[in-house]
Amino acid sequence: MSTTSLTAARLGLVACDTCGLLSRPAGPGAAGFCRRCGSKLHGRHPNSLQNTWALAVAAAVCFLPANALPVMVTNAFGSSTPDTILGGVVFLYTSGSWPLALIVLVASFMIPLGKLIALAWLLISIHRRTHGGERQRMRLHRAVRAVGPWSMLDVFVATFTVALVQLDPLMSVEPGLGVLFFASVVVLTMLAAESLDPRLLWDLDPADIKRA
């Protein structure tokens, strides 16, 4: 038997989500509880794919207004200037702050977009039961989960700037609607990554799900 064919499901075992202990399921209809930590066992998380798809699609829908709508509106001397994420990147680059422009571009645009693409690829590979590259997809899933909180840079900058620049009536900064959609993208992609059961990446055969 090859190494890749050995999975807990094929051996009739269930891994605890909390402590990782492998256990025999209590019965065919219910996995039971972990004998070490007492957590409820799941062969596979219920509705994991459906929940992940729903969250990922909602994040993709929010991604467009997050970049099209202003994240900040600057009011100075009677005039208002809206700033989008990409508009801010262009402004920083043209003003000479290209390192900061690169950080904002990567953290606020490329990482959220990359997370959406990665989630879509993982979900499609599960549906198509793609053979090969399971370890790489596992690492990608862990990476998506790890970088999730770091995508909140733009929300942090907007919140910090709004709180700092309040010089009424001369100048003030207000949060734009785009920051709400951007925060939604970050939160939804984090929830989507958490709701995806990575064990599904190893279920190459429909019989694996029945065994789990």
Side-chain angles (χ1 to χ4, degrees), residues 122-190:
L122 291 174
L123 289 168
I124 292 172
S125 69
I126 292 173
H127 277 287
R128 299 185 63 176
R129 305 194 188 285
T130 304
H131 288 257
E134 291 86 359
R135 287 184 175 81
Q136 288 76 15
R137 289 195 290 276
M138 280 291 296
R139 294 191 188 102
L140 179 61
H141 179 245
R142 290 171 184 156
V144 170
R145 293 178 62 185
V147 302
W150 297 100
S151 304
M152 292 293 279
L153 173 65
D154 217 69
V155 178
F156 170 76
V157 171
T159 305
F160 181 76
T161 306
V162 168
L164 185 65
V165 184
Q166 293 296 336
L167 303 175
D168 289 333
L170 298 177
M171 184 178 182
S172 64
V173 177
E174 299 175 354
L177 193 57
V179 75
L180 179 62
F181 284 100
F182 183 82
S184 300
V185 172
V186 175
V187 173
L188 288 170
T189 51
M190 289 172 63

Side-chain angles (χ1 to χ4, degrees), residues 9-194:
R10 292 176 185 176
L11 295 174
L13 301 172
V14 178
C16 175
D17 293 332
T18 304
C19 68
L21 179 68
L22 288 173
S23 306
R24 294 281 178 190
F33 295 87
C34 177
R35 56 188 168 84
R36 181 160 64 184
C37 67
S39 300
K40 186 175 177 57
L41 298 174
H42 297 284
R44 296 294 180 266
H45 292 170
N47 302 318
S48 173
L49 281 181
Q50 294 88 337
N51 293 338
T52 306
W53 268 118
L55 291 166
V57 170
V61 171
C62 291
F63 185 77
L64 295 177
N67 288 278
L69 297 175
V71 292
M72 287 192 301
V73 180
T74 304
N75 302 308
F77 304 106
S79 62
S80 298
T81 305
D83 293 302
T84 62
I85 293 175
L86 295 179
V89 172
V90 173
F91 173 77
L92 289 171
Y93 180 77
T94 55
S95 62
S97 302
W98 67 266
L100 188 57
L102 181 62
I103 292 174
V104 175
L105 178 65
V106 171
S108 302
F109 183 78
M110 296 180 68
I111 288 180
L113 180 61
K115 286 164 59 182
L116 289 172
I117 295 173
L119 285 170
W121 184 49
L122 291 174
L123 289 168
I124 292 172
S125 69
I126 292 173
H127 277 287
R128 299 185 63 176
R129 305 194 188 285
T130 304
H131 288 257
E134 291 86 359
R135 287 184 175 81
Q136 288 76 15
R137 289 195 290 276
M138 280 291 296
R139 294 191 188 102
L140 179 61
H141 179 245
R142 290 171 184 156
V144 170
R145 293 178 62 185
V147 302
W150 297 100
S151 304
M152 292 293 279
L153 173 65
D154 217 69
V155 178
F156 170 76
V157 171
T159 305
F160 181 76
T161 306
V162 168
L164 185 65
V165 184
Q166 293 296 336
L167 303 175
D168 289 333
L170 298 177
M171 184 178 182
S172 64
V173 177
E174 299 175 354
L177 193 57
V179 75
L180 179 62
F181 284 100
F182 183 82
S184 300
V185 172
V186 175
V187 173
L188 288 170
T189 51
M190 289 172 63
L191 293 175
E194 293 295 329

